[in-house]
Amino acid sequence: MWTDEQPRTRWVDPAVFRLRRPDLRLGAREERPDRTDLVAGDRIAVRHTVRTSTAAYTLLLNAPEWLGRRGTGAALRDAVAELRAIDLTYGPNRPESLVSRLRRGEIGPESYPPLRDLVDRCAAMRAATDGWFDAWAVPGGFDPGGLLGGWAVERAAARLRDAGIHDYAVLTGADLVVRGQAGHGGPWRIAVHHPTDRNRAPLLLEMTAGAVGTSGVTGRQGHVVDPHTGEPAGQLVAATVVGPDLAVADAYATALYAAGPAGLAWFRPGSDYRVLFAAER
């Protein structure tokens, strides 16, 4: 029974990593699983990619044998259904989504518990980042896009855990969530490449619980604005944050991208969240 939900991340000596290929790569030309053919013990390995209207998600599951292929398939379908439902129900670009209805004043946050949770998380991150993450400081009103994708992944991951799967990775773009063990029976080995300098050696992590969130690697100009001025953020080209929860890591990365180097003050020694990259222009 999985009981330890605390983040566990270890920086790895590159010399040691040479003998151990990464399981996952982030920030490379293509974020991808690096190996899926090795499964230790009595587990059922599944890899599945799903695309919604806004993102693509890859789920890697190492399910316990007792769950069976039918149970594993049901858990996967449930997690995928959650990702699709959030895209349909909360996407700010959908006129009839709950977020759009909230923006028009047709409903309040208390109308639906998940919507209340989403709004509360946005408010908490606005406070944690001195207003640099502000879901209300965008044209048209409330837009949780800076953490919505991470929130969706965390809710899908919770569905996997509820079904009895505690060894998994979920990737979307340059973001990921992992728990438990990779197919080889050890921690997930993750190579996080620098967002702009392809010649720099990647940071190498071993993780059994945690998330990596990134803002700024899509190449779209002006996709993050300075909430204090309304102008496109321009000090950084990318920001990457690691920590326990992907929604929070995503929000921190978005805020850091907007604030620039001044945002590094949020990450004090002993904090659950740490900056991996804050690449300046």
Side-chain angles (χ1 to χ4, degrees):
M1 186 74 179
W2 181 268
T3 58
D4 184 1
E5 286 297 324
Q6 296 300 311
R8 296 198 170 186
T9 301
R10 185 169 73 92
W11 271 250
V12 181
D13 183 346
V16 174
F17 224 72
R18 289 195 191 102
L19 304 177
R20 304 174 182 176
R21 292 177 55 198
D23 304 300
L24 308 168
R25 295 179 183 271
L26 288 181
R29 296 184 185 277
E30 177 185 0
E31 288 76 28
R32 67 187 190 278
D34 214 45
R35 54 190 296 168
T36 57
D37 57 336
L38 178 63
V39 179
D42 298 327
R43 292 192 286 174
I44 300 169
V46 175
R47 174 183 174 183
H48 182 76
T49 297
V50 57
R51 288 175 173 81
T52 68
S53 67
T54 57
Y57 303 87
T58 297
L59 297 88
L60 303 177
L61 315 182
N62 298 309
E65 190 178 43
W66 60 260
L67 190 59
R69 294 198 173 275
R70 180 174 296 180
T72 301
L76 176 62
R77 288 192 294 273
D78 195 29
V80 168
E82 183 71 7
L83 293 171
R84 292 193 182 281
I86 290 174
D87 177 58
L88 290 170
T89 308
Y90 296 93
N93 295 325
R94 294 182 177 274
E96 297 307 314
S97 74
L98 295 181
V99 169
S100 294
R101 294 179 62 195
L102 178 68
R103 293 169 76 166
R104 294 194 298 264
E106 298 173 2
I107 59 174
E110 66 284 348
S111 301
Y112 301 89
L115 179 61
R116 174 80 266 177
D117 178 59
L118 183 61
V119 171
D120 287 347
R121 281 174 170 261
C122 288
M125 291 311 301
R126 180 170 59 181
T129 61
D130 305 317
W132 284 97
F133 179 90
D134 192 343
W136 291 266
V138 292
F142 178 69
D143 184 342
L147 63 69
L148 183 61
W151 185 72
V153 169
E154 291 289 358
R155 288 181 63 87
R159 295 296 187 100
L160 295 175
R161 295 194 297 274
D162 289 344
I165 299 176
H166 302 289
D167 301 295
Y168 60 80
V170 184
L171 296 84
T172 177
D175 298 348
L176 65 76
V177 164
V178 299
R179 290 292 188 279
Q181 296 180 333
H184 48 72
W188 293 91
R189 302 165 186 158
I190 303 164
V192 185
H193 292 258
H194 191 275
T196 58
D197 187 353
R198 300 302 181 188
N199 295 320
R200 186 180 300 188
L203 288 177
L204 305 173
L205 311 176
E206 287 187 341
M207 301 178 72
T208 55
V212 179
T214 299
S215 180
V217 296
T218 63
R220 291 184 292 127
Q221 296 296 317
H223 74 291
V224 175
V225 301
D226 180 335
H228 304 294
T229 66
E231 297 297 322
Q235 296 189 67
L236 301 182
V237 294
T240 301
V241 175
V242 61
D245 183 281
L246 183 54
V248 177
D250 268 347
Y252 266 129
T254 300
L256 180 59
Y257 183 94
L264 296 173
W266 305 324
F267 305 92
R268 298 177 177 85
S271 170
D272 286 340
Y273 293 86
R274 298 181 62 177
V275 177
L276 295 185
F277 295 114
E280 297 188 57
R281 293 187 184 277

